[in-house]
Amino acid sequence: MGVTGIGGFFFRAKDPKALQAWYAEHLGVGSAPYGSWDTEAGPSVFAPFKADTDYFAADRQWMLNLRVDDLDGLCAALGAAGIEVITKPEWNMPGVGRFARIHDPEGNAIELWQPE
C-alpha cells in the first residue's frame, strides 16, 4: 500500500483562468478538462528544502519542477514567445540531468528538468 504518483498540484492565483491558459499554451500542461494532462511515467522528486534555501526565491514556499524530453527545443520555443529562460551550468548534475528556469506570469518559478 502506498502512493503511486502525484494526483494534482493545486495553488492560488490572482487570475486562475489566465494562468491556466498560459501553462496550457507554453508548456502543454492542464489543457484537458479540469486542468488535467496525461503524464509519462518517470521519476518525480519530493524534496523539502531548508527554510533559508537560496535554490528558489525566498518569498515563495514552493517551486514547480516539470520533467521534459527536449530541454533545448522547449527553451528555444519559450524564448521565441518572449519568456525569459535562465540556465546556469551549476544547476546541471551529471547522472541526474540538465535544468533551466522560467517564471509564469504571476512570478512563480518553474524548473524544467531533462533527466539523463
Side-chain angles (χ1 to χ4, degrees):
M1 178 173 82
V3 175
T4 61
I6 294 174
F9 179 70
F10 308 99
F11 59 102
R12 299 177 196 278
K14 295 173 187 161
D15 188 342
K17 287 184 181 181
L19 197 57
Q20 185 168 358
W22 184 90
Y23 275 85
E25 177 183 352
H26 297 291
L27 300 172
V29 173
S31 57
Y34 306 108
S36 66
W37 88 98
D38 289 329
T39 62
E40 294 181 7
S44 294
V45 177
F46 182 83
F49 280 67
K50 287 186 165 191
D52 63 352
T53 186
D54 63 357
Y55 194 65
F56 54 92
D59 66 336
R60 303 295 171 152
Q61 294 299 311
W62 55 271
M63 179 176 63
L64 180 61
N65 173 293
L66 297 173
R67 191 174 56 241
V68 304
D69 63 2
D70 180 5
L71 184 63
D72 294 330
L74 179 56
C75 288
L78 293 167
I83 298 168
E84 180 184 15
V85 178
I86 304 163
T87 59
K88 293 185 179 180
E90 62 266 24
W91 290 343
N92 299 330
M93 299 186 319
V96 176
R98 296 173 43 234
F99 298 86
R101 296 235 183 110
I102 61 173
H103 290 82
D104 71 22
E106 295 197 8
N108 299 306
I110 303 163
E111 184 172 63
L112 305 171
W113 168 39
Q114 182 175 334
E116 289 188 356

